[in-house]
């Protein structure tokens, strides 16, 4: 492994604090600035990821100093997925959640030099879903990956917008009715002549799967990658290689994993770190390429205190 990837630096973006639950970071790069979003809540023994969740924004130009700003989104938030599908606009997917009571998904659109102040509820009569993975743009159409139930079918779901995020529609389901295993957390990337989706199984094996499409509507049969994990976040490097990061479940302790491929079918897997706390109190990750073949990977992690914090590593691959 050391012949292929090398850890250059470890960075704390938001430190461990007593009674705080910091989790689910995502990240984008705009010129020489890194923008991250994450969700901060209060430890609550009755709720797995804490309570009173709020979404926060972090910005840095050198990775050593991070300026943190609160957003107005503090309605028991659970997610904070930031994307840069085109130009200088950012999109932020958030979710106000109460178990078996509500699951309200929102999208904000804002300029990169601004902060999100408003958001739009994304709701469909025939679907209950959660957004995950970055929004991408192709030929003026935005596509947002999600997962949940649509028309009674449990599947990864793709949403689309042809007016740059003003309104959204359900574009397609990646798996058909009755597909086993049920797949949920999904991220997508555009390759030279097709699209690739990486998805994770809802079943206890938690295997990761891939599927391909030429039009984002018709998808190939998902293929088991032989990697166990949660929350795959995928992207394409400048040299054409494909990378995804994920909660790594392949070793004795949970951690953060990295997978690299040239074609989306054969993957080399590496471990970035392990953590010693509860499985669900770490591991969700995201990345940007800050220089050719140099990645900044951000994730949340914990120790035996189970008070997660946000950190990152600079990796040369």
């Amino acid at each position: 492994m050391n012949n292929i990837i090398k850890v250059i630096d470890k960075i704390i973006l938001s430190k461990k604090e007593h009674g705080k639950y910091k989790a689910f970071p995502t990240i984008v790069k705009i010129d020489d600035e890194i923008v991250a979003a994450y969700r901060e809540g209060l430890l609550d023994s009755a709720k797995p990821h804490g309570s009173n969740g709020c979404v926060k924004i972090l910005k840095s130009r050198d990775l050593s100093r991070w300026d943190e700003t609160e957003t107005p989104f503090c309605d028991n938030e659970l997610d904070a997925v930031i994307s840069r599908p085109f130009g200088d606009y950012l999109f932020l997917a958030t979710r106000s959640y109460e178990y078996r009571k509500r699951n309200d998904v929102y999208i904000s659109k804002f300029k990169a030099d601004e902060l999100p102040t408003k958001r739009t509820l994304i709701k469909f009569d025939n679907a209950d879903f959660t957004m995950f993975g970055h929004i991408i743009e192709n030929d003026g159409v935005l596509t947002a990956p999600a997962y949940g139930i649509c028309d009674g079918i449990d599947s990864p779901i793709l949403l689309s917008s042809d007016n740059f995020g003003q309104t959204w529609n359900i574009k397609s389901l990646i798996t058909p009715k009755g597909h086993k295993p049920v797949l949920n957390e999904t991220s997508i990337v555009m390759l030279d002549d097709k699209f690739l989706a990486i998805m994770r199984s809802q079943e206890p094996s938690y295997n990761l799967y891939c599927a391909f499409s030429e039009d984002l509507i018709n998808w190939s049969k998902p293929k088991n990658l032989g990697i166990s994990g949660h929350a795959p976040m995928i992207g394409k490097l400048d040299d054409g290689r494909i990378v995804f990061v994920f909660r790594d479940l392949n070793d004795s302790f949970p951690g953060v994993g990295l997978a690299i491929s040239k074609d989306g079918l054969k993957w080399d897997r590496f471990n970035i770190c392990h953590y010693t706390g509860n499985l669900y109190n770490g591991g969700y990750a995201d990345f940007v390429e800050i220089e050719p073949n140099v990645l900044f990977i951000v994730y949340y992690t914990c120790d035996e205190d189970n008070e997660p914090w946000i950190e990152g590593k600079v990796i040369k691959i």
Side-chain angles (χ1 to χ4, degrees), residues 204-255:
S205 66
Y206 301 129
N207 287 326
L208 299 177
Y209 287 74
C210 73
F212 295 90
S213 174
E214 295 181 356
D215 57 8
L216 292 168
I217 297 174
N218 301 291
W219 287 87
S220 65
K221 181 179 178 180
K223 177 182 181 294
N224 190 337
L225 298 180
I227 300 173
S228 295
H230 296 160
M233 290 290 274
I234 195 169
K236 184 180 176 183
L237 305 186
D238 288 344
D239 67 6
R241 286 184 294 172
I242 314 160
V243 170
F244 69 83
V245 290
F246 60 103
R247 177 188 279 156
D248 192 348
L249 304 179
N250 295 275
D251 300 322
S252 299
F253 287 96

